[in-house]
Amino acid sequence: MYELKTLLPQFDIKLPTCMYPLKNVSLAADSLASSSSASTSSSKLEASGKSKTSRNAATCALDLDTLGRQIQQLLKDDTASVTARQEKVLKQLEELKAQLGQIRAGLGVCGKTFQHTTAYQNGGLKEVPLQDVVINGHPNFIPYALLALKNAWRNLYTIDVKTFTHSTMADIGPAAREFEANLAKVPVNPALPKINVTIIWKNCEHTEMISSPTMYVPIYGEVNIIRYLGRVGPAEYRYEGSPLCNEIDLVLDICYQLLRCNTHKAQVAMVRSLDKRLQQQQYFGGSQMSVADIGVYSSLIRMPAITDKDLTPALLAWRKRAKLVAQI
């Protein structure tokens, strides 16, 4: 045979300091060696004509004795070290709790634990405090539904909207600035239930909403944002328990398709579908305004190619009634 050269150079390995070594649960090698040598010498003094079964029995007894000593030594030596590590972990948890308390105090968050009420609403769902909502949108796709909902809910629910501009946008344009001014005109009633909404104008492809501060799970599309706000808003606009819930969802799906039509012909076809859903009703949700009307009204504003000539008389009459509520 021939000798192989070392391919990797010799270097020192730095062990991480965040780990602790595990002890060998078996007995020391010298004790095992001494016990084995003692057993060997004693076996030589005995008669060499013992049967194989007796040797197997002795081996089994030796294994059980070794296992018993291992367990005794493990319990004797590691109890103190495990207790010390447990005390260290508990101390680190107390320090982490103190740091989180300082962060909550710096953010102005109440430190009291929220007590859930026993009242159930919204189809049996328990009411919980809402997190602040962040919406990322492009100035070319303005979510007019927020302004419409803010005006429609002014006596029922408060949507406190704040706007910011991302560094990817040099200018948001006059339409977005007018939208911000109209949002600021709607007063905020502190006596009503409130949800905080932050709009960030940025160079993004889709309008997305982030409803959880701990994990990034976006909700895409203005229509789906309307669905979310309709579920957490005032009880008058929660449609899941309504017999027309499927109809309202269908109208919102048509709005979603309308906003993604690339040709005027396809847009007019979607408008005809909306006219079939409206029929002789005052609103898309029946005799009262619903989130479906908010979605349709906002979608028509975002489609300047659709003029009064493309709308049927029923849709024109509906738009006049909806404008009194949306005030856009």
Side-chain angles (χ1 to χ4, degrees):
M1 298 178 67
Y2 55 88
E3 183 181 359
L4 294 177
K5 294 183 179 180
T6 304
L7 299 179
L8 297 177
Q10 297 293 333
F11 56 90
D12 297 332
I13 300 177
K14 296 182 179 180
L15 297 178
T17 58
C18 61
M19 302 173 63
Y20 56 88
L22 292 177
K23 293 184 179 181
N24 190 358
V25 296
S26 61
L27 295 178
D30 52 354
S31 62
L32 290 177
S34 61
S35 62
S36 102
S37 62
S39 62
T40 304
S41 60
S42 61
S43 63
K44 288 182 179 179
L45 295 176
E46 295 177 354
S48 59
K50 285 188 176 182
S51 63
K52 185 177 180 181
T53 56
S54 63
R55 287 197 302 269
N56 291 338
T59 303
C60 293
L62 179 61
D63 292 340
L64 293 176
D65 293 340
T66 303
L67 180 61
R69 290 196 300 271
Q70 289 177 357
I71 294 175
Q72 291 178 3
Q73 186 169 352
L74 178 63
L75 295 177
K76 178 181 178 182
D77 297 341
D78 287 353
T79 303
S81 60
V82 170
T83 304
R85 288 199 300 268
Q86 183 180 5
E87 293 294 334
K88 183 179 179 181
V89 171
L90 292 177
K91 183 178 179 181
Q92 291 176 348
L93 290 176
E94 290 295 333
E95 294 176 355
L96 179 61
K97 182 179 179 181
Q99 292 177 4
L100 292 177
Q102 293 177 0
I103 295 175
R104 291 173 64 90
L107 295 176
V109 181
C110 179
K112 296 182 179 179
T113 304
F114 178 78
Q115 301 292 332
H116 294 282
T117 61
T118 56
Y120 286 81
Q121 297 179 3
N122 195 16
L125 297 178
K126 182 180 291 186
E127 300 291 343
V128 296
L130 292 175
Q131 301 286 350
D132 295 348
V133 171
V134 177
I135 296 178
N136 298 319
H138 197 282
N140 293 339
F141 311 109
I142 300 175
Y144 288 101
L146 283 178
L147 179 58
L149 288 174
K150 192 172 183 179
N151 286 323
W153 295 354
R154 64 171 62 213
N155 297 325
L156 302 173
Y157 201 87
T158 297
I159 303 178
D160 191 2
V161 183
K162 296 181 181 179
T163 58
F164 299 91
T165 303
H166 195 262
S167 59
T168 56
M169 296 301 304
D171 184 21
I172 61 175
R177 284 193 289 270
E178 182 182 0
F179 174 75
E180 292 180 348
N182 292 332
L183 285 173
K185 292 179 182 178
V186 183
V188 175
N189 189 350
L192 296 176
K194 184 179 72 170
I195 181 173
N196 296 321
V197 178
T198 301
I199 299 179
I200 301 178
W201 303 115
K202 61 190 303 185
N203 189 13
C204 56
E205 184 178 0
H206 302 285
T207 303
E208 61 178 16
M209 184 188 75
I210 312 299
S211 60
S212 175
T214 57
M215 56 183 178
Y216 189 85
V217 182
I219 298 175
Y220 290 105
E222 181 184 5
V223 172
N224 292 325
I225 296 175
I226 294 174
R227 284 191 171 103
Y228 175 84
L229 295 176
R231 285 169 168 81
V232 302
E236 291 81 358
Y237 280 78
R238 299 180 185 179
Y239 65 94
E240 289 184 328
S242 171
L244 297 175
C245 61
N246 293 331
E247 180 69 20
I248 293 176
D249 270 328
L250 181 59
V251 173
L252 292 176
D253 289 339
I254 296 176
C255 295
Y256 186 87
Q257 297 174 6
L258 174 61
L259 294 175
R260 278 151 183 78
C261 292
N262 296 324
T263 62
H264 182 70
K265 183 177 180 180
Q267 294 173 0
V268 173
M270 290 294 104
V271 172
R272 293 291 183 268
S273 298
L274 290 174
D275 180 66
K276 292 180 181 179
R277 309 316 306 183
L278 181 62
Q279 296 180 355
Q280 301 299 324
Q281 302 178 114
Q282 287 188 339
Y283 299 100
F284 286 95
S287 59
Q288 296 180 352
M289 189 89 166
S290 67
V291 292
D293 301 276
I294 299 295
V296 176
Y297 194 83
S298 176
S299 300
L300 293 179
I301 294 178
R302 290 179 53 182
M303 309 297 293
I306 298 178
T307 61
D308 292 348
K309 297 180 180 180
D310 301 321
L311 299 180
T312 62
L315 285 175
L316 290 173
W318 163 85
R319 191 173 65 174
K320 292 180 180 179
R321 292 190 295 268
K323 187 176 182 180
L324 297 176
V325 180
Q327 300 182 13
I328 303 177

